[in-house]
Amino acid sequence: MMTEYNLIQKVAKKDSAAFRKLVENHQSRVVSLAFRFARNRQDAEDIAQEVFLNIWKKAGKFRGDADPSTWIYRITVNTALNYLRSRKKDDKLVSEEALQYETASPNDQPDHVLEASNNSETLYEALDELPEKLRIPFMLNKMEELSYQQVADTLKLSLSNVQTRIFRAKKKLQEILVKKLRD
């Protein structure tokens, strides 16, 4: 069986079959993480495409001292941040398409979809108010379900630093959400 490390080694040698397999293995998680940053499907797919292009180019630099999925997450985070910075979006509101992609399922009743949509919008607005250094570890841990150690490896931070940032993010989010609910 081919390991992720072996796949990356083959991608470094420009093996297109190995690259297709790597994309197949990671595409849904990369798009999901990109969506957390971009909040619309088209941008998330553009970011994912850029991520895999970067992987194709940088596979030879992968030293194997990190888990391959951690390396791919790190590329995704950096690519998403660079993409969003370059876009300099003025509109920070969550698009309806993003809310539907995130919250709706075919069996949902319209009032439940609207409530979930409102909750998602409120949460994303609150997340937007967090500083990037708190928001990113929080999103990776709570939304992408990475362990504290995986977040630390992805962001190249100490475990205690990640724990502190996530704790502070939760506390700050709570303050922001309470304020929003009062308004």
Side-chain angles (χ1 to χ4, degrees):
M1 183 178 147
M2 179 87 51
T3 67
E4 293 292 308
Y5 181 75
N6 296 129
L7 279 176
I8 293 173
Q9 286 179 319
K10 287 185 174 219
V11 170
K13 295 175 183 170
K14 304 306 179 204
D15 181 325
S16 59
F19 181 67
R20 278 193 299 278
K21 181 68 175 159
L22 193 71
V23 170
E24 181 182 301
N25 291 351
H26 293 277
Q27 185 166 18
S28 65
R29 294 205 71 183
V30 167
V31 171
S32 173
L33 180 57
F35 183 82
R36 301 280 184 203
F37 284 88
R39 297 200 202 110
N40 91 42
R41 188 176 177 91
Q42 185 60 50
D43 286 348
E45 289 172 356
D46 289 348
I47 291 167
Q49 185 174 7
E50 184 77 21
V51 166
F52 290 113
L53 181 62
N54 286 336
I55 289 170
W56 179 258
K57 291 177 184 175
K58 296 177 182 182
K61 295 180 182 178
F62 179 69
R63 296 182 311 270
D65 53 352
D67 184 81
S69 61
T70 300
W71 181 70
I72 292 169
Y73 263 102
R74 182 73 223 156
I75 291 172
T76 305
V77 168
N78 288 338
T79 304
L81 289 173
N82 290 337
Y83 182 87
L84 294 175
R85 286 179 187 135
S86 71
R87 296 270 323 252
K88 293 183 182 179
K89 289 187 176 183
D90 293 326
D91 181 16
K92 289 190 175 188
L93 294 176
V94 179
S95 70
E96 280 187 38
E97 176 200 354
L99 290 171
Q100 290 169 359
Y101 179 74
E102 180 85 7
T103 61
S105 78
N107 300 326
D108 284 344
Q109 298 296 319
D111 57 335
H112 292 113
V113 171
L114 182 59
E115 183 179 336
S117 204
N118 289 338
N119 289 342
S120 276
E121 184 173 349
T122 302
L123 176 61
Y124 278 121
E125 286 173 357
L127 280 169
D128 281 343
E129 292 184 34
L130 289 178
E132 191 174 279
K133 73 178 199 171
L134 300 180
R135 184 177 65 248
I136 293 170
F138 178 85
M139 286 172 43
L140 290 173
N141 177 251
K142 300 302 178 194
M143 298 172 147
E144 291 300 313
E145 300 177 354
L146 296 182
S147 70
Y148 284 170
Q149 187 60 57
Q150 289 172 313
V151 173
D153 293 344
T154 299
L155 299 178
K156 296 184 181 176
L157 298 170
S158 70
L159 182 60
S160 61
N161 194 322
V162 167
Q163 291 168 330
T164 300
R165 288 182 185 197
I166 292 172
F167 175 80
R168 289 180 180 160
K170 285 192 249 183
K171 186 173 175 145
K172 184 76 174 156
L173 264 179
Q174 185 177 26
E175 292 169 8
I176 293 167
L177 289 170
V178 166
K179 184 177 181 234
K180 285 187 176 295
L181 292 174
R182 287 185 185 155
D183 291 346

